[in-house]
Amino acid sequence: MNHIIDETHDPAHTSWVPGADDHAEFPIQNLPLGIFSNGADPRGGIAIGDQILDLAALAQSGLLEGSALEAAVAASGPTLNPLLALGPEPRRALRRAVSTLLSDPGEQDVVSHCVHPAAACTLHLPATVGDYTDFYVGIHHATNVGKVFRPDNPLLPNYKYVPIGYHGRASSVRVSGTPLVRPLGQLKAPDAETPVRAPTRRLDFELEMGVWIGTGNALGETIPIAGAADHVAGLSLLNDWSARDIQAWEYQPLGPFLAKNFLTTVSPWIVTAEALAPFRTAQPGRPEGDPAPLPYLLDADDQASGAFAITLEVSLSSEAMRAAGMAPVRLSRSAATHMYWTIAQMVTHHASNGCDLRPGDLLGTGTISAPARDGFGSLLELTRAGAEPITLPTGELRSFLEDGDELTLAGRAEATGYRSIGFGPCTGVVLPATSA
Ligand code: MN
């Protein structure tokens, strides 16, 4: 179902929307889903170039019928949860109808009344997140972090059997652009006897992808690996902001808590599973000697096409850089193929004990680091826990994030013979701690 490539992916397909055909992220081959407002109530929209197609207006226009109309009606409210609950087929029907309407010059007069300049709109979280779970499937990140604690044995033995994850906090998931107020927490220096409460001194980012769940499963039922991809509505970028000093003190014995739940930022658009079909690629083979996944996590089709050819980048600008008119500096360049488990395996494992997933649930992949240093997905790795600071173009040093820093994630799906598509920014600026 998620593998269908049709006329909506044709690289020769063009739109009458000015600038859309040359747009780096949102050409007509993308058509990502989000929630926007422009004075009126928040409602569903589709990004096309520098414009947003208003799905509530489109649903009223009389231009849609059948399951495409059903999907647009479901996307007319303040969250996309009702649309996500419909599953892939209505979403695909809407994609095909919108692709035609935005391409056919004969439709321009009518449809252009449903299109708004994105610059005049506010973007919101695309769905109400009932539950947020963060995985740990970036094997190079897991190895790098493990080395800090266990130089000879960085990966624990469960890693190659279990897609490791923890339950995160849904209430503090926000859309790109939300400022990050430096959190306070308990910090304990290694040589100190007792902790102090202070603003974190080791504020970090984590380069991740977010997985939006479409249709879920009933409590007590599982999601077989062969159909797991149909439960994924689409992907976003995700920054799992982390306070390493709080984390180091609090994580034992139950894992991440206040070090990570002060804010999680996602890019505004759900790049749909349908749009990503051309960018599916084989899951990289496991290194010689690694165990095969247990049968419930192993599916030939998933192994053949369950990874995604998406390049990922992190960039930073300090307050001084922006004041001097300097462009952001790239910190890292990685790819979504550096995941030890596929997204389908994450979904299947999550439901494998009968835990129910619901439309709008959000899964983080975990930090996706490339093998080499220029592709590490956190400052913890890039600066070797602060020991080797990065020098910015202003001469400023960065071990961890400072107040005024603006951190941006970007992603780009690329495949030979197809128009590449992007995700929109996942950005946030660090503000000073406000209270004690
Ligand atoms: Mn994480």
Side-chain angles (χ1 to χ4, degrees), residues 13-53:
H13 197 47
T14 56
S15 174
W16 48 258
V17 174
D21 295 337
D22 299 320
H23 200 275
E25 303 208 283
F26 307 131
I28 196 167
Q29 289 80 6
N30 193 344
L31 304 179
L33 299 161
I35 293 289
F36 78 101
S37 59
N38 63 342
D41 296 337
R43 56 207 186 274
I46 287 179
I48 176 72
D50 291 321
Q51 311 282 318
I52 296 174
L53 175 65

Side-chain angles (χ1 to χ4, degrees), residues 419-432:
R419 182 73 163 84
S420 64
I421 60 176
F423 285 77
C426 181
T427 190
V429 65
V430 179
L431 302 181

Side-chain angles (χ1 to χ4, degrees), residues 376-387:
F376 289 173
S378 68
L379 284 169
L380 182 71
E381 297 165 88
L382 286 164
T383 70
R384 302 194 196 282

Side-chain angles (χ1 to χ4, degrees), residues 150-189:
R150 299 172 299 276
D152 299 330
N153 183 29
L155 281 183
L156 292 169
N158 60 0
Y159 190 85
K160 292 178 174 177
Y161 291 93
V162 180
I164 300 290
Y166 70 96
H167 283 127
R169 180 81 189 167
S171 71
S172 48
V173 176
R174 290 291 188 282
V175 74
S176 175
T178 305
L180 166 61
V181 178
R182 180 178 297 272
L184 291 105
Q186 285 197 23
L187 323 177
K188 194 187 87 61

Side-chain angles (χ1 to χ4, degrees), residues 139-157:
I139 189 168
H140 305 300
H141 171 75
T143 304
N144 291 337
V145 173
K147 271 180 192 162
V148 176
F149 302 100
R150 299 172 299 276
D152 299 330
N153 183 29
L155 281 183
L156 292 169

Side-chain angles (χ1 to χ4, degrees), residues 233-286:
L235 306 180
S236 295
L237 304 170
L238 185 148
N239 184 352
D240 177 22
W241 303 97
S242 299
R244 302 300 181 192
D245 40 11
I246 300 173
Q247 185 178 0
W249 171 235
E250 75 170 9
Y251 87 100
Q252 290 175 312
L254 287 185
F257 183 34
L258 302 183
K260 285 174 174 281
N261 69 2
F262 50 91
L263 181 68
T264 303
T265 305
V266 291
S267 54
W269 299 102
I270 299 177
V271 176
T272 64
E274 293 71 45
L276 289 168
F279 309 102
R280 285 182 162 273
T281 185
Q283 174 68 355
R286 292 187 161 201

